Amino acid sequence: MPCSYAIYKERRLVITKVWDRVTFSEIRSHQEQFRNDPDFDPQFNLLIDATAATALDVSTDEARTIASQGLFSPTSRRALLASNPAVFGMARLMGVYHAMSTKQEQLRVFYDRALALQWLGLKDDPESKG
């Protein structure tokens, strides 16, 4: 499955990474994995790093399903980082669906990791080695 995650409890953050072509069933399976992780808290924020993804292989209905799931609290922020324009566009669509279902704009899509981290309220990158 082209998905992995790490939970940073002290930062109140989940970082998900996706790569290659990611399907709807893989995304759903991945969400269930971290939902069932004892370290997961729905109050955490989420960073989805999709910079290595070549495609989000989901239909518009599947995108709506993914975006409307209540994995995180309505006030949790979600940032999706993309480098591929098609992935960026699909993520923006999911952001619209999320805003429609929750009446809040808590999912934003970025090309720049520093801006995504800043929007999540982080001063530094939990994954940086330096």
Side-chain angles (χ1 to χ4, degrees):
M1 175 169 43
C3 307
S4 67
Y5 73 92
I7 296 175
Y8 298 88
K9 288 174 72 170
E10 69 286 351
R11 306 263 187 134
R12 304 184 51 73
L13 178 70
V14 176
I15 296 181
T16 286
K17 292 185 179 184
V18 298
W19 57 91
D20 298 333
R21 179 176 288 279
V22 186
T23 66
F24 175 71
S25 63
E26 290 167 333
I27 293 168
R28 292 296 297 258
S29 176
H30 176 71
Q31 289 174 328
E32 283 304 310
Q33 276 184 321
F34 70 77
R35 178 197 306 245
N36 294 320
D37 189 309
D39 289 333
F40 175 68
D41 182 333
Q43 300 296 318
F44 289 175
N45 290 327
L46 172 67
L47 173 65
I48 303 167
D49 183 343
T51 55
T54 57
L56 296 180
D57 194 7
V58 298
S59 69
T60 55
D61 285 338
E62 290 167 338
R64 181 180 294 123
T65 299
I66 293 165
S68 337
Q69 286 192 314
L71 293 174
F72 290 85
S73 79
T75 57
S76 294
R77 288 189 168 199
R78 299 143 186 94
L80 193 140
L81 185 61
S83 56
N84 179 303
V87 172
F88 187 93
M90 182 57 81
R92 290 286 309 264
L93 177 64
M94 286 189 221
V96 170
Y97 286 146
H98 179 75
M100 288 170 48
S101 70
T102 64
K103 307 295 187 242
Q104 296 185 12
E105 293 188 38
Q106 294 297 85
L107 189 154
R108 295 213 182 145
V109 185
F110 298 88
Y111 280 115
D112 182 276
R113 187 177 184 94
L115 290 175
L117 292 168
Q118 180 182 6
W119 188 74
L120 291 171
L122 299 170
K123 292 180 177 29
D124 61 344
D125 190 337
E127 295 187 323
S128 70
K129 305 291 188 230

